[in-house]
Amino acid sequence: MDIKIILCGIGGQGVVFLNRLLARAAMDAGFPVMSLESHGMSRRGGSVVLHLRLGSHESPLVSQGGADLLLALDAQEGLRNLSFVKSGGMVIVNSKDEFPAEVSTELKRLKIKTHSINATELARKMGKATAANVILAGCTVALSNVSLTKEALQESVALMSPKAAKLNNKAIEIGYNTF
Amino acid sequence: MGKSLMLGNEAIALGLVEQNCRMICAYPGTPSSEIMASVLQQKKRLDCDLHAEWSVNEKVAFEVALGGSWSGLRSAAIMKQVGLNVASDAFFSAAYQGVKGGFIIIPADDPGPSSSQTEQDSRLMALTAKVPVFDPSTPQEAREFVQYALELSERHELPVMLRPTRQICHAVQDIDYHEDFSTEMPQVKFDKDPHRWAATPRDRFRLHVELNQKLKQIEDEFAESPLNYVEAGTAKIGIIASGMVYNVVRQVLKELNYDAPLLKIGTPFPLPQKVMSDFIADCEQVLVFEETDYCIELQIPDRRNVRGRLDGTIPSAGELTPDVVGKVLAELFSKGKVQVATDKLFSADSGLVAAIAKHQSPPRPPRLCPGCSHRSAFYAMKREFGKRTLYPGDIGCYTLGTNLDAVDTCVDMGSGADIASGFYHAHKMGRTGRSGGKERPIMVTIGDSTFLHSGLQPLMNAVHTDARFVLLILDNRTTAMTGFQPTPANPEEANGSPGRSVSFPDLVRACGVEFVRELDPYQHDDFRNVLREAHEHCRSPQGRVAVVIAERSCSLHEPETVENRPVQITEECDGCRYCLIAFECPALVLSTDGSRVDLNEDLCVDCGQCIDSCHKGFIIPDPEAAWT
Ligand code: SF4
Ligand code: SF4
């Protein structure tokens, strides 16, 4: 696999955790991983954009029109970063709404598949509103062509935060089964 | 042995620990801060006997580490790139004097910049100071370069720089990990040699000559070094690259399907001239990609066939992203009539971009956290002193006081009180002169860590020159912006062991300040009153600079210290937005139809501070909750 992913959201939503989870699962499955995170100012509620490359140690930086996959934890931030996605790519966005019609038309023309999921609401129902990020990871293995299984993801998340393993497992299930 | 996902900064820390570095000193600053954090974790986990400290500033970090090296220990000083400016006095001198135990200075550069006041290139600082530089391209390389750097430093008894950019510091890579490295304590001994360690100007000329000789030898070594190598290609245009851009260039060449010879430089100073001239001679034209300035390009004596940031072929500022590199190369290749499929690469679809632009909201700027005590202090200050007052600020989370129009200036660490002195003396003259300006109050804000870093001398200077302003020390008991490192005012050291803490009131009084008050900025009315008193004192005939210390823990770091004071926004809220603009808490949001302001329950920390921000009294204590 050699997959370029852009992850975005707002500081505090756990974008970095989502990045680490996917990276960790890929590493545990024996793939090389390179990513560029953002730390510092951005955690104070600002826009956050991370670059992740699974399956290669080459440059983690994704160009405009170069991403296979965009994972957006916030709809506005997703919209802002849509231009990263290449034609034929995929978008998974945490949102209760679809993108504006005009944007959707363009996405269709470019054969970019878009999946919206109200992960925050699902996470809240599950008892932890901040687990939206892990739900999105579940969606990612279900929908995209990352060579990772749901089980691998669950094993990795348990290694990353043993205490929250049960909750995170459930979050992955929910994300995985939504589509 | 196993694999671990590591930030570049963690990989550097691993390199330091496994290379038996025994004295590691740092001042926090993005993007360097996680290096020390990770050193501290490893120290704890492996129970190593190493001295690790968050120093009071970068100059102190550099000098303490230098003392370690002069005692025979491998030592490191870590900071962000602008921190090297603070340490530069010692840095330049140490290059002449040299070192004993391997000494590595790690300034993290910030192309972009993403959280710095400049994009300066530390490699150029090293060039000026005559210190060799290693420039890694991946976290794994950064870890390996630590070893090369320390060995080189010991061989030539010279400080050596490892220069990671943010793109390396915050890159994440899977790294092979083992723990079977030597942990033997080297002999600790300082050998007296006054002509070197206490060199006078007479000795310095000789030391300078010696330094130049060392650099010549090192250049020869670098010419043979495996860290500089050529990847052959058939094209006539050759490329030289270093740092993260090297990976980007490789990637772009691959996507353009262009087989250019590529010279990777791991040691940009002193530049191995032989390697360079051989490579350049073989190409019709050569492009140099480097971040952030032109360290390599500048050192090439014959640049007739060389293009880069210096001659403007590559943008002379900013990060070299794949988009930028792709455009530069595509344009160049098309001039040479090389067919490359550029139309679809490195740019977004224009139709999509246009559609996005129509619906996009403005980018989300960083903001002070919900419950942040700085916001309360700023708000009280603004309410009491209004728009005419001058508000010099400083560097930290509280620079975000710009969002509340409560920070008018920000230059560098500790500058606020100096700018205030300048403002005061200038406006005083303006008042007595013909222009007849009116007196304007001056309120300076500075955080606890920044005040200790470099705020003390400006205060002494202000007292001595009788500048009159109010200095507000925003003491939230941590270095919040960079990840909650302790300051010397905290009761514990970097590794968590108890340490003596310095007292702000004592420090300030010792500088000759008479008006000193400490209080909680959450007490809105009291706080305003004290600010007013402080101002009256400082402008009275017998007055001086007045200091108010706003004491309250960072709400993100110590959420348990925030009292439970939930609020409600009543039905009467008419959406006037005053609270949104004047108080700017991220948990206060305009409703979708704009008719009122709502609470975002996920973000709100129930601090109750916004109550004062609605004049009309529509933000009230939640009647169902008992306020503490
Ligand atoms: S981290 Fe602390 S000091 Fe910084 S904005 Fe948040 S609450 Fe304020
Ligand atoms: S109580 Fe008010 S000021 Fe405090 S976090 Fe909630 S909305 Fe913000």
Side-chain angles (χ1 to χ4, degrees), chain B residues 276-333:
Chain B
M276 301 301 291
S277 52
D278 287 355
F279 183 79
I280 294 170
D282 280 349
C283 303
E284 223 164 64
Q285 199 172 54
V286 165
L287 268 151
V288 187
F289 284 98
E290 53 186 326
E291 282 176 328
T292 312
D293 269 312
Y294 30 64
C295 177
I296 296 174
E297 195 183 353
L298 193 68
Q299 293 177 76
I300 301 173
D302 180 356
R303 290 198 291 271
R304 274 173 300 181
N305 296 328
V306 177
R307 302 282 168 270
R309 299 191 100 142
L310 200 52
D311 86 329
T313 304
I314 298 168
S316 53
E319 191 183 345
L320 294 177
T321 60
D323 310 68
V324 176
V325 173
K327 277 191 195 97
V328 170
L329 287 180
E331 197 165 302
L332 201 77
F333 294 162

Short mmCIF file of all heavy atoms in Angstrom, two decimals, chain B residues 276-333:
data_model
loop_
_atom_site.label_atom_id
_atom_site.label_comp_id
_atom_site.label_asym_id
_atom_site.label_seq_id
_atom_site.Cartn_x
_atom_site.Cartn_y
_atom_site.Cartn_z
N MET B 276 30.61 19.39 -4.58
CA MET B 276 29.74 20.33 -5.27
C MET B 276 30.22 20.59 -6.70
O MET B 276 29.46 20.48 -7.65
CB MET B 276 29.71 21.68 -4.53
CG MET B 276 29.25 21.63 -3.10
SD MET B 276 27.60 20.98 -2.90
CE MET B 276 26.65 22.29 -3.64
N SER B 277 31.51 20.93 -6.83
CA SER B 277 31.99 21.33 -8.16
C SER B 277 31.94 20.15 -9.12
O SER B 277 31.61 20.32 -10.29
CB SER B 277 33.38 21.95 -8.07
OG SER B 277 34.23 21.10 -7.36
N ASP B 278 32.23 18.94 -8.63
CA ASP B 278 32.13 17.76 -9.51
C ASP B 278 30.71 17.60 -10.03
O ASP B 278 30.48 17.37 -11.21
CB ASP B 278 32.52 16.49 -8.76
CG ASP B 278 34.02 16.43 -8.52
OD1 ASP B 278 34.73 17.33 -9.03
OD2 ASP B 278 34.47 15.50 -7.81
N PHE B 279 29.76 17.74 -9.12
CA PHE B 279 28.36 17.55 -9.50
C PHE B 279 27.91 18.63 -10.48
O PHE B 279 27.30 18.34 -11.51
CB PHE B 279 27.48 17.56 -8.24
CG PHE B 279 26.03 17.29 -8.51
CD1 PHE B 279 25.57 16.00 -8.72
CD2 PHE B 279 25.10 18.34 -8.57
CE1 PHE B 279 24.23 15.76 -8.98
CE2 PHE B 279 23.76 18.10 -8.82
CZ PHE B 279 23.32 16.80 -9.02
N ILE B 280 28.24 19.86 -10.15
CA ILE B 280 27.79 20.99 -10.98
C ILE B 280 28.40 20.90 -12.38
O ILE B 280 27.74 21.15 -13.39
CB ILE B 280 28.13 22.34 -10.30
CG1 ILE B 280 27.31 22.47 -9.01
CG2 ILE B 280 27.83 23.52 -11.22
CD1 ILE B 280 27.71 23.62 -8.11
N ALA B 281 29.68 20.46 -12.44
CA ALA B 281 30.36 20.36 -13.74
C ALA B 281 29.67 19.36 -14.67
O ALA B 281 29.70 19.51 -15.89
CB ALA B 281 31.82 19.97 -13.52
N ASP B 282 29.04 18.37 -14.08
CA ASP B 282 28.39 17.32 -14.89
C ASP B 282 27.00 17.71 -15.40
O ASP B 282 26.40 16.97 -16.16
CB ASP B 282 28.23 16.04 -14.05
CG ASP B 282 29.54 15.26 -14.00
OD1 ASP B 282 30.45 15.63 -14.77
OD2 ASP B 282 29.64 14.33 -13.19
N CYS B 283 26.48 18.83 -14.92
CA CYS B 283 25.11 19.20 -15.29
C CYS B 283 25.11 20.49 -16.12
O CYS B 283 26.00 21.33 -15.98
CB CYS B 283 24.26 19.45 -14.04
SG CYS B 283 24.20 18.07 -12.93
N GLU B 284 24.07 20.61 -16.93
CA GLU B 284 23.93 21.84 -17.69
C GLU B 284 23.49 22.97 -16.75
O GLU B 284 23.90 24.10 -16.86
CB GLU B 284 22.86 21.63 -18.75
CG GLU B 284 23.20 22.18 -20.10
CD GLU B 284 22.27 21.58 -21.13
OE1 GLU B 284 21.05 21.84 -21.02
OE2 GLU B 284 22.75 20.82 -22.00
N GLN B 285 22.60 22.60 -15.85
CA GLN B 285 22.08 23.56 -14.90
C GLN B 285 21.78 22.83 -13.60
O GLN B 285 21.44 21.65 -13.63
CB GLN B 285 20.79 24.16 -15.45
CG GLN B 285 20.40 25.45 -14.80
CD GLN B 285 19.24 26.09 -15.52
OE1 GLN B 285 18.20 25.47 -15.72
NE2 GLN B 285 19.42 27.33 -15.92
N VAL B 286 21.92 23.55 -12.49
CA VAL B 286 21.68 22.92 -11.20
C VAL B 286 20.71 23.77 -10.38
O VAL B 286 20.80 25.00 -10.36
CB VAL B 286 23.01 22.75 -10.43
CG1 VAL B 286 22.75 22.44 -8.98
CG2 VAL B 286 23.85 21.66 -11.05
N LEU B 287 19.76 23.09 -9.74
CA LEU B 287 18.81 23.78 -8.86
C LEU B 287 19.09 23.39 -7.42
O LEU B 287 19.28 22.20 -7.13
CB LEU B 287 17.40 23.31 -9.18
CG LEU B 287 16.65 24.12 -10.19
CD1 LEU B 287 15.68 23.23 -10.91
CD2 LEU B 287 15.89 25.23 -9.50
N VAL B 288 19.07 24.36 -6.53
CA VAL B 288 19.30 24.06 -5.12
C VAL B 288 18.01 24.25 -4.33
O VAL B 288 17.47 25.35 -4.28
CB VAL B 288 20.40 24.95 -4.52
CG1 VAL B 288 20.74 24.49 -3.11
CG2 VAL B 288 21.64 24.95 -5.39
N PHE B 289 17.52 23.17 -3.72
CA PHE B 289 16.33 23.24 -2.88
C PHE B 289 16.74 23.09 -1.43
O PHE B 289 17.28 22.06 -1.04
CB PHE B 289 15.35 22.13 -3.24
CG PHE B 289 14.59 22.38 -4.51
CD1 PHE B 289 15.00 21.82 -5.70
CD2 PHE B 289 13.46 23.18 -4.50
CE1 PHE B 289 14.30 22.04 -6.87
CE2 PHE B 289 12.75 23.42 -5.67
CZ PHE B 289 13.17 22.84 -6.86
N GLU B 290 16.49 24.11 -0.64
CA GLU B 290 16.84 24.03 0.78
C GLU B 290 15.90 24.92 1.58
O GLU B 290 15.28 25.83 1.05
CB GLU B 290 18.30 24.43 1.01
CG GLU B 290 18.67 25.78 0.41
CD GLU B 290 20.16 26.10 0.52
OE1 GLU B 290 20.77 25.71 1.52
OE2 GLU B 290 20.69 26.77 -0.38
N GLU B 291 15.80 24.62 2.88
CA GLU B 291 14.97 25.44 3.77
C GLU B 291 15.84 25.93 4.92
O GLU B 291 16.68 25.17 5.40
CB GLU B 291 13.81 24.60 4.31
CG GLU B 291 12.70 24.46 3.29
CD GLU B 291 11.56 23.56 3.74
OE1 GLU B 291 11.81 22.60 4.50
OE2 GLU B 291 10.43 23.81 3.34
N THR B 292 15.63 27.16 5.37
CA THR B 292 14.63 28.08 4.89
C THR B 292 15.26 29.14 4.00
O THR B 292 14.61 29.70 3.14
CB THR B 292 13.95 28.76 6.11
OG1 THR B 292 13.60 27.77 7.04
CG2 THR B 292 12.71 29.51 5.70
N ASP B 293 16.56 29.41 4.21
CA ASP B 293 17.24 30.36 3.33
C ASP B 293 18.20 29.63 2.40
O ASP B 293 17.96 28.49 2.05
CB ASP B 293 17.95 31.43 4.17
CG ASP B 293 17.05 32.63 4.44
OD1 ASP B 293 16.46 33.10 3.47
OD2 ASP B 293 16.93 33.07 5.59
N TYR B 294 19.30 30.31 2.05
CA TYR B 294 20.19 29.79 1.00
C TYR B 294 21.57 29.49 1.53
O TYR B 294 22.55 30.05 1.06
CB TYR B 294 20.25 30.80 -0.13
CG TYR B 294 20.08 32.24 0.32
CD1 TYR B 294 21.01 32.84 1.17
CD2 TYR B 294 18.97 32.97 -0.06
CE1 TYR B 294 20.83 34.13 1.61
CE2 TYR B 294 18.78 34.27 0.37
CZ TYR B 294 19.73 34.85 1.21
OH TYR B 294 19.55 36.12 1.66
N CYS B 295 21.67 28.60 2.49
CA CYS B 295 22.97 28.28 3.08
C CYS B 295 23.89 27.58 2.08
O CYS B 295 25.05 27.92 1.94
CB CYS B 295 22.75 27.42 4.32
SG CYS B 295 24.24 26.87 5.10
N ILE B 296 23.36 26.58 1.38
CA ILE B 296 24.18 25.82 0.42
C ILE B 296 24.49 26.70 -0.79
O ILE B 296 25.65 26.86 -1.18
CB ILE B 296 23.44 24.53 -0.02
CG1 ILE B 296 23.26 23.61 1.19
CG2 ILE B 296 24.19 23.83 -1.14
CD1 ILE B 296 22.43 22.37 0.92
N GLU B 297 23.44 27.27 -1.35
CA GLU B 297 23.60 28.07 -2.56
C GLU B 297 24.64 29.18 -2.37
O GLU B 297 25.49 29.41 -3.22
CB GLU B 297 22.23 28.67 -2.92
CG GLU B 297 22.14 29.23 -4.32
CD GLU B 297 20.78 29.87 -4.57
OE1 GLU B 297 19.88 29.77 -3.71
OE2 GLU B 297 20.62 30.47 -5.64
N LEU B 298 24.57 29.82 -1.21
CA LEU B 298 25.47 30.93 -0.91
C LEU B 298 26.93 30.52 -0.91
O LEU B 298 27.81 31.30 -1.24
CB LEU B 298 25.10 31.49 0.47
CG LEU B 298 25.67 32.84 0.89
CD1 LEU B 298 25.07 33.94 0.03
CD2 LEU B 298 25.35 33.10 2.36
N GLN B 299 27.19 29.27 -0.55
CA GLN B 299 28.58 28.82 -0.43
C GLN B 299 29.17 28.33 -1.75
O GLN B 299 30.33 27.94 -1.80
CB GLN B 299 28.68 27.70 0.61
CG GLN B 299 28.40 28.13 2.03
CD GLN B 299 28.47 26.93 2.96
OE1 GLN B 299 29.53 26.45 3.29
NE2 GLN B 299 27.31 26.42 3.36
N ILE B 300 28.35 28.29 -2.80
CA ILE B 300 28.86 27.84 -4.10
C ILE B 300 29.54 29.04 -4.76
O ILE B 300 28.88 30.05 -5.05
CB ILE B 300 27.71 27.31 -4.98
CG1 ILE B 300 27.03 26.14 -4.27
CG2 ILE B 300 28.24 26.88 -6.35
CD1 ILE B 300 25.78 25.63 -4.97
N PRO B 301 30.87 28.98 -4.98
CA PRO B 301 31.56 30.17 -5.47
C PRO B 301 31.15 30.54 -6.90
O PRO B 301 30.98 31.72 -7.19
CB PRO B 301 33.05 29.77 -5.43
CG PRO B 301 33.14 28.44 -4.83
CD PRO B 301 31.77 27.84 -4.76
N ASP B 302 30.98 29.55 -7.76
CA ASP B 302 30.63 29.86 -9.15
C ASP B 302 29.18 29.48 -9.38
O ASP B 302 28.85 28.31 -9.55
CB ASP B 302 31.56 29.08 -10.09
CG ASP B 302 31.22 29.36 -11.55
OD1 ASP B 302 30.24 30.08 -11.82
OD2 ASP B 302 31.94 28.84 -12.43
N ARG B 303 28.32 30.48 -9.40
CA ARG B 303 26.89 30.18 -9.48
C ARG B 303 26.32 30.44 -10.87
O ARG B 303 25.10 30.60 -11.02
CB ARG B 303 26.12 31.02 -8.45
CG ARG B 303 26.39 30.60 -7.02
CD ARG B 303 25.34 31.12 -6.08
NE ARG B 303 25.40 32.55 -5.91
CZ ARG B 303 26.14 33.17 -4.98
NH1 ARG B 303 26.83 32.46 -4.12
NH2 ARG B 303 26.15 34.47 -4.89
N ARG B 304 27.18 30.45 -11.88
CA ARG B 304 26.66 30.77 -13.22
C ARG B 304 25.57 29.80 -13.67
O ARG B 304 24.61 30.18 -14.30
CB ARG B 304 27.80 30.83 -14.23
CG ARG B 304 28.46 32.20 -14.28
CD ARG B 304 29.68 32.19 -15.14
NE ARG B 304 30.66 31.23 -14.64
CZ ARG B 304 31.86 31.03 -15.21
NH1 ARG B 304 32.19 31.68 -16.27
NH2 ARG B 304 32.70 30.16 -14.67
N ASN B 305 25.74 28.51 -13.33
CA ASN B 305 24.74 27.53 -13.76
C ASN B 305 23.87 27.07 -12.60
O ASN B 305 23.27 26.00 -12.66
CB ASN B 305 25.43 26.32 -14.40
CG ASN B 305 26.15 26.72 -15.66
OD1 ASN B 305 25.70 27.62 -16.36
ND2 ASN B 305 27.27 26.08 -15.92
N VAL B 306 23.86 27.86 -11.55
CA VAL B 306 23.14 27.44 -10.35
C VAL B 306 21.90 28.32 -10.14
O VAL B 306 21.98 29.54 -10.24
CB VAL B 306 24.06 27.52 -9.11
CG1 VAL B 306 23.30 27.17 -7.84
CG2 VAL B 306 25.26 26.60 -9.29
N ARG B 307 20.78 27.69 -9.89
CA ARG B 307 19.53 28.42 -9.62
C ARG B 307 19.00 28.01 -8.25
O ARG B 307 19.15 26.86 -7.85
CB ARG B 307 18.47 28.07 -10.66
CG ARG B 307 18.85 28.37 -12.09
CD ARG B 307 18.72 29.87 -12.39
NE ARG B 307 19.35 30.21 -13.65
CZ ARG B 307 20.62 30.58 -13.79
NH1 ARG B 307 21.41 30.65 -12.73
NH2 ARG B 307 21.12 30.89 -14.96
N GLY B 308 18.37 28.94 -7.56
CA GLY B 308 17.84 28.60 -6.24
C GLY B 308 17.07 29.74 -5.63
O GLY B 308 16.48 30.55 -6.33
N ARG B 309 17.11 29.80 -4.30
CA ARG B 309 16.35 30.84 -3.60
C ARG B 309 17.06 32.18 -3.72
O ARG B 309 16.42 33.22 -3.68
CB ARG B 309 16.22 30.48 -2.11
CG ARG B 309 15.48 29.17 -1.89
CD ARG B 309 15.13 28.96 -0.43
NE ARG B 309 13.74 29.31 -0.23
CZ ARG B 309 12.88 28.69 0.56
NH1 ARG B 309 13.24 27.66 1.28
NH2 ARG B 309 11.64 29.09 0.67
N LEU B 310 18.36 32.15 -3.88
CA LEU B 310 19.13 33.39 -3.93
C LEU B 310 18.84 34.15 -5.22
O LEU B 310 18.72 35.36 -5.23
CB LEU B 310 20.61 33.01 -3.85
CG LEU B 310 21.62 34.07 -3.42
CD1 LEU B 310 21.21 34.72 -2.11
CD2 LEU B 310 22.99 33.42 -3.26
N ASP B 311 18.72 33.43 -6.33
CA ASP B 311 18.51 34.13 -7.60
C ASP B 311 17.03 34.24 -7.94
O ASP B 311 16.66 34.78 -8.98
CB ASP B 311 19.30 33.45 -8.73
CG ASP B 311 18.53 32.30 -9.36
OD1 ASP B 311 17.74 31.66 -8.63
OD2 ASP B 311 18.72 32.04 -10.55
N GLY B 312 16.16 33.72 -7.05
CA GLY B 312 14.73 33.93 -7.24
C GLY B 312 14.02 32.86 -8.06
O GLY B 312 12.80 32.92 -8.21
N THR B 313 14.75 31.87 -8.59
CA THR B 313 14.09 30.80 -9.34
C THR B 313 13.14 30.04 -8.41
O THR B 313 12.06 29.61 -8.81
CB THR B 313 15.13 29.82 -9.91
OG1 THR B 313 16.05 30.57 -10.69
CG2 THR B 313 14.48 28.74 -10.75
N ILE B 314 13.57 29.89 -7.15
CA ILE B 314 12.74 29.27 -6.12
C ILE B 314 12.32 30.39 -5.17
O ILE B 314 13.16 31.25 -4.86
CB ILE B 314 13.55 28.19 -5.38
CG1 ILE B 314 13.97 27.09 -6.38
CG2 ILE B 314 12.77 27.59 -4.23
CD1 ILE B 314 15.00 26.13 -5.84
N PRO B 315 11.06 30.43 -4.75
CA PRO B 315 10.61 31.52 -3.87
C PRO B 315 11.57 31.72 -2.70
O PRO B 315 12.04 30.74 -2.12
CB PRO B 315 9.24 31.06 -3.39
CG PRO B 315 8.78 30.08 -4.41
CD PRO B 315 9.99 29.45 -5.02
N SER B 316 11.84 32.98 -2.37
CA SER B 316 12.87 33.24 -1.37
C SER B 316 12.32 33.24 0.06
O SER B 316 13.03 33.57 0.99
CB SER B 316 13.56 34.57 -1.66
OG SER B 316 12.57 35.57 -1.80
N ALA B 317 11.05 32.89 0.23
CA ALA B 317 10.50 32.76 1.58
C ALA B 317 9.52 31.60 1.61
O ALA B 317 8.98 31.21 0.57
CB ALA B 317 9.80 34.05 1.99
N GLY B 318 9.31 31.06 2.79
CA GLY B 318 8.26 30.06 2.96
C GLY B 318 8.72 28.63 2.79
O GLY B 318 9.83 28.34 2.34
N GLU B 319 7.81 27.75 3.20
CA GLU B 319 8.05 26.32 3.16
C GLU B 319 8.08 25.83 1.71
O GLU B 319 7.33 26.33 0.88
CB GLU B 319 6.87 25.67 3.91
CG GLU B 319 7.03 24.23 4.23
CD GLU B 319 5.78 23.66 4.91
OE1 GLU B 319 4.92 24.45 5.39
OE2 GLU B 319 5.66 22.43 4.96
N LEU B 320 8.93 24.87 1.42
CA LEU B 320 8.95 24.31 0.06
C LEU B 320 8.09 23.05 0.02
O LEU B 320 8.56 21.94 0.18
CB LEU B 320 10.39 24.04 -0.37
CG LEU B 320 11.23 25.30 -0.53
CD1 LEU B 320 12.67 24.98 -0.89
CD2 LEU B 320 10.64 26.24 -1.58
N THR B 321 6.81 23.26 -0.19
CA THR B 321 5.85 22.16 -0.24
C THR B 321 5.93 21.50 -1.61
O THR B 321 6.52 22.05 -2.54
CB THR B 321 4.43 22.71 -0.04
OG1 THR B 321 4.18 23.63 -1.09
CG2 THR B 321 4.29 23.42 1.29
N PRO B 322 5.31 20.32 -1.76
CA PRO B 322 5.30 19.68 -3.08
C PRO B 322 4.70 20.60 -4.15
O PRO B 322 5.14 20.57 -5.30
CB PRO B 322 4.42 18.45 -2.88
CG PRO B 322 4.32 18.24 -1.43
CD PRO B 322 4.63 19.52 -0.74
N ASP B 323 3.73 21.41 -3.76
CA ASP B 323 3.11 22.31 -4.75
C ASP B 323 4.13 23.31 -5.28
O ASP B 323 4.22 23.56 -6.48
CB ASP B 323 1.94 23.06 -4.11
CG ASP B 323 0.99 22.13 -3.39
OD1 ASP B 323 1.40 21.55 -2.36
OD2 ASP B 323 -0.12 21.96 -3.86
N VAL B 324 4.90 23.89 -4.34
CA VAL B 324 5.88 24.89 -4.73
C VAL B 324 6.98 24.24 -5.58
O VAL B 324 7.31 24.70 -6.67
CB VAL B 324 6.51 25.57 -3.48
CG1 VAL B 324 7.59 26.55 -3.90
CG2 VAL B 324 5.43 26.28 -2.68
N VAL B 325 7.52 23.14 -5.08
CA VAL B 325 8.61 22.44 -5.79
C VAL B 325 8.11 21.99 -7.16
O VAL B 325 8.80 22.15 -8.17
CB VAL B 325 9.10 21.23 -4.95
CG1 VAL B 325 10.10 20.40 -5.75
CG2 VAL B 325 9.73 21.71 -3.65
N GLY B 326 6.90 21.44 -7.19
CA GLY B 326 6.34 20.95 -8.45
C GLY B 326 6.23 22.06 -9.48
O GLY B 326 6.60 21.87 -10.64
N LYS B 327 5.75 23.23 -9.04
CA LYS B 327 5.58 24.33 -10.00
C LYS B 327 6.93 24.80 -10.54
O LYS B 327 7.09 25.03 -11.73
CB LYS B 327 4.83 25.49 -9.33
CG LYS B 327 3.36 25.21 -9.38
CD LYS B 327 2.49 26.37 -8.99
CE LYS B 327 1.08 25.83 -8.75
NZ LYS B 327 0.82 25.58 -7.32
N VAL B 328 7.91 24.94 -9.62
CA VAL B 328 9.24 25.39 -10.04
C VAL B 328 9.81 24.44 -11.09
O VAL B 328 10.27 24.85 -12.15
CB VAL B 328 10.19 25.47 -8.83
CG1 VAL B 328 11.63 25.69 -9.29
CG2 VAL B 328 9.76 26.58 -7.89
N LEU B 329 9.75 23.14 -10.79
CA LEU B 329 10.35 22.16 -11.69
C LEU B 329 9.59 22.08 -13.01
O LEU B 329 10.20 22.06 -14.08
CB LEU B 329 10.40 20.78 -11.02
CG LEU B 329 11.44 20.63 -9.91
CD1 LEU B 329 11.40 19.24 -9.31
CD2 LEU B 329 12.84 20.95 -10.41
N ALA B 330 8.28 22.06 -12.93
CA ALA B 330 7.48 21.93 -14.15
C ALA B 330 7.78 23.09 -15.10
O ALA B 330 7.96 22.90 -16.30
CB ALA B 330 6.00 21.89 -13.80
N GLU B 331 7.88 24.28 -14.52
CA GLU B 331 8.14 25.46 -15.35
C GLU B 331 9.51 25.36 -16.00
O GLU B 331 9.68 25.61 -17.20
CB GLU B 331 8.09 26.71 -14.45
CG GLU B 331 7.95 28.00 -15.24
CD GLU B 331 7.55 29.12 -14.30
OE1 GLU B 331 6.49 29.00 -13.64
OE2 GLU B 331 8.33 30.08 -14.20
N LEU B 332 10.48 24.96 -15.22
CA LEU B 332 11.85 24.86 -15.72
C LEU B 332 11.95 23.82 -16.83
O LEU B 332 12.57 24.03 -17.86
CB LEU B 332 12.76 24.48 -14.55
CG LEU B 332 14.21 24.80 -14.75
CD1 LEU B 332 14.44 26.29 -14.53
CD2 LEU B 332 15.05 23.99 -13.78
N PHE B 333 11.31 22.68 -16.58
CA PHE B 333 11.40 21.59 -17.56
C PHE B 333 10.71 22.00 -18.86
O PHE B 333 11.17 21.69 -19.95
CB PHE B 333 10.77 20.32 -17.03
CG PHE B 333 11.51 19.74 -15.85
CD1 PHE B 333 10.89 18.82 -15.01
CD2 PHE B 333 12.82 20.12 -15.57
CE1 PHE B 333 11.57 18.29 -13.92
CE2 PHE B 333 13.50 19.59 -14.48
CZ PHE B 333 12.87 18.68 -13.65
#
